[in-house]
Amino acid sequence: MIAKLKPYFFILGVTLLCFWQITFGQNMMKWDIIDIALPWRYFVVESLHAGQFPFWNPFNHLGFPQMGDPSSWYPITWLLSLFGRYTVSHIQFEYLLHLVLAAFGAYKLFLFELTNSPSTTKTKRWISLTLAICYACSGFMVSNAQHLGWVISAAWIPYCIYFFRAFLVTGKWYYAFALPTVLFMLLTGGYPGFFITCMYVLLGIFIVHLFRIRKQLAEIKSLWKLTVPAVLFILQAAVVLYCSFEMSKYINRGEDLVLDTSKWGVLFGAFPWEASISFLFPMATTTPGTVWPSDVSMLNAYFGIVSATLALGSLYLTKNNLRGILYFILGLVFLLSSYGDGFIVRALWYHILPFMDLFRFPALFRLFSLLFLLMAGVLTLDKVWNMKLPIKQVNTMFLTTGLALLFGLFYYTAVPKEAIAETPDVGSFFNTWSFNKRIVIQAISGLLFLVLSWLLIQKRQLVALALLVGLELFIYTQLNVYSTVVDAENDFKKTELALTRAPIGFPLESLYDTVRLKTDEGNKNYPYLWKNLSAFQKEISADGVSPYGLKSMAVSIERDEFTKAINHPSIYFEPEADSPNQAYQLKILSYSGNELTFEINTESNGKIVFLQNTYPNWKVEVDGEEHEIQIEASTFLATSIEVGKSKVRFYFDSNKEQKLFWVTAVSFLISIGAFLLLFFKENMLSKK
């Protein structure tokens, strides 16, 4: 039992140490994870604490259907709601948690790859964990740290592949119940592009498996078992799929994207081929002042000097290594896809494969490239350990990487000095290094790690090799951590304290005030937080940062109606034209994100306006009777009322969504329960 757990402790230790600034609360993370992910998760948790579902978010952009964003239903966020208010500590814990989960998942997948290997169990474990930590501490996890959905996707994809393959091969039912659960985690926690691509990977695995068993009638008949995880997944995803597809009808980005590099084109956010330098020199892509044809988050594909060498080594194993070569080719295909407009592959997928026109950022494909290259590396290292690769070819394999490092050293340092802008940046000592200095330092360290790993392989010191790889990952992570992961200057404790002091629930007072057009500007209540501050302050605001924009709001802005309409409190009365009596009295009775009830006393007929964007779920009652929703300024909710005293209730009708939620919740719990029951039952039987 202890032997089985040792790899997990090793993986946990290496991963947490590589990101020690977050592990020990030394620094706060930066960019989108703080500006977008934190406020949205904060709102979800605050809604749950208030005893309601996060169907509608009233605070950003004058309201949008939060339920349409899959991350609103992510089980881990809901679980964290049990541990107090959601703060920076929570979201940074989520980041670390998913790095560890990614490593564990990669470890299980790699171990499964070695099922038929003649290596001892101990050898298989050390080979698998050595490459698994390369996955969790790869340049993808470092450069895309701000994109929590990307990191979550990276965490669950290895499990999806592992459980699917294991179920196809073994037919064990606990895999059938685990698969829909991890697919649901990927769907709700991750970025859609990863889910779509992962489903194509699973389809490819299924086709290969079908080809293998094409002459085995019994095996073909047993494929009906796949309907069980398929049905369970559809049931689990019911509320997410319904809410997301409904929202897609009313947002600007709900249609197919165009094939270009514009902001809303599928080729936007590519991994430029020039950034392939990051495979060997990851720190070079974060040099302050250098200009790359993409965002800094999309420029790092590093996954270890040693592991890259092993992946390349699969080409030297042409005998009995079909899987290794296939994985290397798949890694190369996904790498070419990540180049976006730099190569034709992404465009072909856009035209040929369904759903490939629904997401941007070709750079996401580099995650699949890294995973398949690591799978190729696992098979190479196993064969090297079993003496199935001649020592001469092992030497050639390492020599190739060494020559690549030397070539990079001489080529990139030969760049004229004036061509590289050496603008010092604050944050860490490393950020003051010039481009050339970064190349030299990484070339020397890379060669050192390469030579040491070669020596350890010659002496067959696998544990020492794993420790060396862990050290390499620690150093290379630290070289980039201040560039793309954490901010060295922010006072973590000040932000944490400010969030714990934020208003609780849904305060009524701010509804009487004029809606703020710019809540984020000049707000000093939340140190080091810059965007979507209305979610913390619990104020209805016209601004915010969000990937979703309602069409009705865009129309209102285009018609110049928006700014004029919001120059009022969140609820206001508009009398009939030419009415001499415009006075009214308003008393708010109750308010939550999904409902507003108030009493109003007017001296004339007119209409009441609620400054929230229109959406089909919104309904209104006046004195207990259903009234027609009217649209004010092309986007806001309104209804007519008569002179005198009225009780008005705007509410977000979520009857259908709530029913679907319970379908999701029950099927999710059934899947987890069945998995645990069957898993422990089999383990108990195996012990007997």
Side-chain angles (χ1 to χ4, degrees):
M1 182 65 179
I2 295 176
K4 286 184 177 181
L5 293 178
K6 277 184 180 179
Y8 294 101
F9 286 118
F10 182 89
I11 289 169
L12 179 67
V14 171
T15 305
L16 295 183
L17 282 175
C18 283
F19 298 88
W20 67 266
Q21 290 90 341
I22 304 174
T23 302
F24 299 109
Q26 179 72 25
N27 297 112
M28 189 168 82
M29 297 181 73
K30 58 183 179 180
W31 300 337
D32 284 5
I33 193 170
I34 299 298
D35 293 338
I36 298 179
L38 174 60
W40 282 15
R41 276 165 158 74
Y42 182 88
F43 171 77
V44 170
V45 171
E46 290 290 292
S47 297
L48 296 175
H49 286 175
Q52 66 173 42
F53 290 104
F55 290 129
W56 183 262
N57 185 337
F59 302 124
N60 294 98
H61 289 302
L62 296 171
F64 79 98
Q66 183 79 49
M67 63 181 184
D69 180 69
S71 67
S72 302
W73 307 101
Y74 189 46
I76 288 181
T77 303
W78 283 49
L79 183 62
L80 288 176
S81 69
L82 300 175
F83 301 94
R85 307 188 76 179
Y86 197 93
T87 64
V88 176
S89 294
H90 289 75
I91 202 162
Q92 298 196 168
F93 171 78
E94 274 206 62
Y95 174 70
L96 288 176
L97 173 65
H98 288 95
L99 292 181
V100 173
L101 286 173
F104 288 171
Y107 171 72
K108 293 296 293 182
L109 177 61
F110 298 162
L111 203 57
F112 185 79
E113 281 295 325
L114 301 178
T115 301
N116 298 320
S117 167
S119 298
T120 65
T121 301
K122 182 180 179 181
T123 299
K124 292 178 183 179
R125 288 172 179 165
W126 280 102
I127 289 174
S128 299
L129 73 84
T130 301
L131 278 296
I133 58 176
C134 293
Y135 180 71
C137 301
S138 65
F140 178 92
M141 304 296 195
V142 175
S143 65
N144 286 107
Q146 65 161 321
H147 303 129
L148 184 58
W150 289 42
V151 176
I152 292 174
S153 298
W156 294 113
I157 285 171
Y159 292 98
C160 295
I161 298 174
Y162 165 61
F163 287 135
F164 185 65
R165 288 187 59 197
F167 184 54
L168 287 177
V169 173
T170 68
K172 293 180 179 179
W173 278 106
Y174 59 81
Y175 292 125
F177 290 102
L179 179 59
T181 304
V182 294
L183 283 172
F184 177 73
M185 301 297 271
L186 174 60
L187 175 67
T188 54
Y191 179 69
F194 290 98
F195 179 81
I196 293 170
T197 307
C198 182
M199 294 304 292
Y200 275 112
V201 170
L202 298 187
L203 177 61
I205 293 172
F206 176 74
I207 292 173
V208 171
H209 179 73
L210 195 61
F211 179 77
R212 285 177 175 175
I213 65 170
R214 63 189 184 279
K215 296 181 180 180
Q216 303 173 36
L217 186 59
E219 289 288 331
I220 294 175
K221 288 182 177 180
S222 69
L223 291 177
W224 70 267
K225 296 178 181 179
L226 288 173
T227 59
V228 175
V231 170
L232 281 173
F233 171 71
I234 293 172
L235 292 175
Q236 287 187 39
V239 69
V240 183
L241 295 177
Y242 176 78
C243 292
S244 297
F245 282 121
E246 280 298 302
M247 184 181 70
S248 67
K249 303 173 185 177
Y250 305 100
I251 60 173
N252 288 321
R253 57 180 298 184
E255 297 87 10
D256 298 346
L257 302 174
V258 294
L259 185 64
D260 60 29
T261 58
S262 64
K263 184 178 180 181
W264 295 108
V266 296
L267 301 179
F268 176 80
F271 173 67
W273 66 267
E274 299 94 329
S276 298
I277 183 179
S278 63
F279 280 108
L280 300 177
F281 307 103
M283 197 185 182
T285 58
T286 59
T287 309
T290 56
V291 179
W292 299 83
S294 192
D295 184 81
V296 67
S297 298
M298 311 294 174
L299 302 178
N300 197 338
Y302 167 81
F303 63 106
I305 300 295
V306 179
S307 54
T309 303
L310 293 171
L312 186 64
S314 62
L315 297 181
Y316 293 92
L317 284 162
T318 55
K319 187 177 180 180
N320 299 323
N321 190 39
L322 180 60
R323 272 191 302 151
I325 295 173
L326 177 61
Y327 290 151
F328 186 88
I329 293 173
L330 285 173
L332 182 61
V333 169
F334 278 114
L335 177 63
L336 295 176
S337 303
S338 71
Y339 289 157
D341 63 332
F343 208 78
I344 196 173
V345 178
R346 179 64 182 100
L348 288 176
W349 287 9
Y350 174 89
H351 290 297
I352 296 174
L353 300 178
F355 307 114
M356 280 291 182
D357 54 359
L358 296 180
F359 59 93
R360 303 176 293 162
F361 306 113
L364 67 82
F365 291 116
R366 78 191 195 279
L367 173 72
F368 294 92
S369 176
L370 299 184
L371 183 58
F372 280 112
L373 290 176
L374 284 168
M375 290 168 71
V378 165
L379 296 176
T380 300
L381 184 55
D382 179 65
K383 285 179 170 55
V384 168
W385 227 254
N386 286 295
M387 303 295 188
K388 292 187 177 180
L389 185 64
I391 192 65
K392 184 177 180 180
Q393 291 187 345
V394 174
N395 295 340
T396 304
M397 184 172 71
F398 279 86
L399 181 62
T400 302
T401 305
L403 291 174
L405 283 166
L406 290 173
F407 175 80
L409 171 65
F410 291 111
Y411 177 81
Y412 286 107
T413 53
V415 175
K417 201 171 184 62
E418 60 271 18
I420 303 297
E422 298 180 12
T423 308
D425 191 16
V426 295
S428 76
F429 168 72
F430 304 127
N431 280 1
T432 64
W433 292 359
S434 67
F435 181 86
N436 285 6
K437 187 174 183 178
R438 292 169 186 238
I439 293 293
V440 172
I441 294 295
Q442 290 175 107
I444 294 173
S445 61
L447 287 170
L448 178 62
F449 281 117
L450 197 65
V451 171
L452 290 175
S453 61
W454 175 76
L455 289 173
L456 291 174
I457 288 177
Q458 298 296 317
K459 295 182 178 181
R460 303 184 64 74
Q461 297 293 321
L462 189 53
V463 176
L465 179 65
L467 291 170
L468 179 68
V469 170
L471 177 62
E472 176 198 348
L473 294 169
F474 175 80
I475 292 174
Y476 277 67
T477 299
Q478 288 301 304
L479 289 176
N480 272 3
V481 71
Y482 287 105
S483 296
T484 58
V485 182
V486 300
D487 194 318
E489 295 190 318
N490 290 355
D491 190 333
F492 183 92
K493 294 180 180 178
K494 286 184 178 180
T495 309
E496 195 81 350
L497 181 62
L499 289 178
T500 58
R501 293 177 175 176
I504 297 174
F506 291 84
L508 307 181
E509 294 78 13
S510 63
L511 296 176
Y512 293 101
D513 301 330
T514 301
V515 168
R516 298 179 64 179
L517 182 61
K518 297 291 182 182
T519 305
D520 294 341
E521 291 185 1
N523 194 320
K524 299 180 180 180
N525 294 330
Y526 305 96
Y528 312 114
L529 299 180
W530 319 106
K531 302 294 182 183
N532 293 323
L533 301 185
S534 57
F536 308 121
Q537 196 63 27
K538 306 292 181 60
E539 293 180 349
I540 292 178
S541 172
D543 68 352
V545 177
S546 168
Y548 307 115
L550 288 169
K551 295 177 181 178
S552 60
M553 182 174 170
V555 170
S556 181
I557 294 173
E558 185 179 351
R559 294 176 178 175
D560 294 326
E561 301 171 329
F562 185 79
T563 305
K564 181 180 178 181
I566 66 172
N567 192 27
H568 294 91
S570 301
I571 316 151
Y572 69 91
F573 174 69
E574 189 173 284
E576 292 181 340
D578 302 324
S579 173
N581 299 314
Q582 299 188 12
Y584 66 95
Q585 294 178 330
L586 179 71
K587 181 182 179 181
I588 301 173
L589 301 178
S590 64
Y591 171 58
S592 70
N594 303 322
E595 183 178 352
L596 170 68
T597 304
F598 57 90
E599 289 181 348
I600 186 167
N601 196 352
T602 68
E603 297 182 8
S604 63
N605 296 334
K607 61 183 174 182
I608 191 76
V609 180
F610 182 26
L611 290 179
Q612 290 288 280
N613 289 307
T614 181
Y615 200 74
N617 293 65
W618 278 111
K619 302 288 188 293
V620 63
E621 292 177 352
V622 178
D623 294 327
E625 295 184 0
E626 196 81 17
H627 264 226
E628 180 186 357
I629 287 278
Q630 300 175 8
I631 307 301
E632 178 71 11
S634 301
T635 191
F636 300 121
L637 305 172
T639 193
S640 59
I641 58 172
E642 297 179 353
V643 62
K645 187 176 182 179
S646 302
K647 183 178 180 181
V648 183
R649 175 176 173 254
F650 284 94
Y651 65 99
F652 195 82
D653 184 6
S654 56
N655 184 53
K656 184 181 296 184
E657 287 80 2
Q658 290 191 45
K659 290 179 180 178
L660 289 173
F661 166 79
W662 289 113
V663 171
T664 291
V666 171
S667 55
F668 181 76
L669 293 175
I670 288 175
S671 294
I672 292 179
F675 166 73
L676 294 175
L677 178 65
L678 294 172
F679 179 77
F680 286 113
K681 182 180 178 181
E682 174 157 325
N683 277 286
M684 292 295 289
L685 291 174
S686 63
K687 289 180 181 179
K688 292 180 180 180

